[in-house]
Amino acid sequence: LYFQAYVKQTILSIILVFLGSLKLFAQNVWMHPNAGQGDDRIEYKVDLDMGEMYIEKDGFTYNLTDAKTKHNHNHGHDHELRAHDHEEEKTKFHVIKSKFVGSTWGGEIVKEEVSGFYRNYFQGSDESKWKSKLYSYGSLSMKNYYDGIDLLMDGTKGGLKYSLRVAPNVDANQVVMNYSGQDSLYIDEIGNLHVVNRFGEIIEGAPLAWLEESSRK
């Protein structure tokens, strides 16, 4: 119905901003597909400075860790100092889940902005999990994430943004999100949602809603 003449739609757009060492800014934010090499709950993975974000059938999981920053911090130290740091500092983790309650997504997805590179995975001795030439994507559209509502993921503008495209006469109130695992949640004076964790904050920009009109000749 999106391309039906003069049909109006509502789009709710939320920009994810990762503060501090969680920052996620680049020319493109790539979404790497899970083709069987990873946990079957994961559809796509996004690399973060501090861990990974998983795009799943019913929401997002942030698997945060300071392992990468510790490696960079210790790089260049002599062996004795690195060994001492390893003994004194344990790697920290924090998992946060953001779930779309009642999502009805059946697996239909449109992938766009294919990467110019690919990844190979040769994990363990089970050759069925060996995957090669897996390209990544800068834009995804998960169709009917709710009945009549598509979830759009866009990493092509130097950050990561998700939008919900609501078809005409569809109730947007069926979209309900539940957060778990965070230290705290709060909404600031301009409407941004702050998800506080042990490494900093994940900020979901204040929702924006607008109508689109499209016509067909």
Side-chain angles (χ1 to χ4, degrees):
L1 294 178
Y2 179 68
F3 295 102
Q4 184 176 341
Y6 304 110
V7 165
K8 291 185 178 180
Q9 295 192 329
T10 298
I11 295 182
L12 174 68
S13 181
I14 301 178
I15 299 174
L16 298 176
V17 179
F18 300 84
L19 281 188
S21 53
L22 299 180
K23 284 184 179 178
L24 181 62
F25 296 114
Q27 289 186 343
N28 268 27
V29 175
W30 296 108
M31 289 165 272
H32 311 298
N34 177 21
Q37 77 276 12
D39 189 294
D40 59 9
R41 291 171 293 184
I42 300 170
E43 297 295 322
Y44 288 84
K45 182 185 75 171
V46 177
D47 294 323
L48 306 176
D49 285 347
M50 297 196 73
E52 299 168 334
M53 172 186 176
Y54 304 136
I55 301 170
E56 301 174 344
K57 295 176 175 63
D58 60 350
F60 313 129
T61 293
Y62 304 94
N63 184 23
L64 308 177
T65 176
D66 61 357
K68 293 180 182 178
T69 57
K70 280 188 174 181
H71 174 76
N72 293 335
H73 174 72
N74 290 333
H75 183 71
H77 288 201
D78 60 43
H79 176 76
E80 182 178 351
L81 285 176
R82 290 200 303 271
H84 175 73
D85 290 343
H86 179 73
E87 291 175 359
E88 294 296 326
E89 298 181 24
K90 293 182 179 179
T91 300
K92 299 180 178 66
F93 296 89
H94 198 149
V95 175
I96 298 170
K97 294 183 178 293
S98 173
K99 296 297 182 182
F100 289 91
V101 180
S103 169
T104 57
W105 187 58
E108 183 182 359
I109 191 166
V110 175
K111 300 170 285 189
E112 297 179 313
E113 302 296 333
V114 63
S115 64
F117 60 87
Y118 59 81
R119 293 185 171 194
N120 298 317
Y121 299 86
F122 302 102
Q123 302 172 176
S125 58
D126 184 358
E127 295 188 14
S128 67
K129 292 186 175 296
W130 293 4
K131 306 296 177 180
S132 60
K133 292 190 176 180
L134 294 183
Y135 289 87
S136 302
Y137 300 91
S139 177
L140 302 173
S141 178
M142 303 172 78
K143 299 295 185 180
N144 281 309
Y145 205 71
Y146 286 93
D147 187 22
I149 301 176
D150 298 339
L151 174 64
L152 314 178
M153 304 292 300
D154 184 6
T156 63
K157 298 178 177 63
L160 183 62
K161 178 177 75 172
Y162 71 87
S163 302
L164 295 162
R165 179 186 289 146
V166 184
N169 303 316
V170 170
D171 183 10
N173 290 323
Q174 64 183 301
V175 179
V176 177
M177 297 191 72
N178 178 67
Y179 294 81
S180 61
Q182 68 280 347
D183 289 338
S184 63
L185 288 173
Y186 71 93
I187 297 176
D188 64 24
E189 64 278 2
I190 60 174
N192 296 327
L193 174 66
H194 295 247
V195 185
V196 182
N197 60 81
R198 70 188 305 171
F199 302 117
E201 295 183 342
I202 300 169
I203 298 179
E204 297 202 15
L208 303 174
W210 67 90
L211 295 176
E212 282 191 348
E213 289 185 346
S214 60
S215 60
R216 189 171 54 183
K217 293 181 179 181

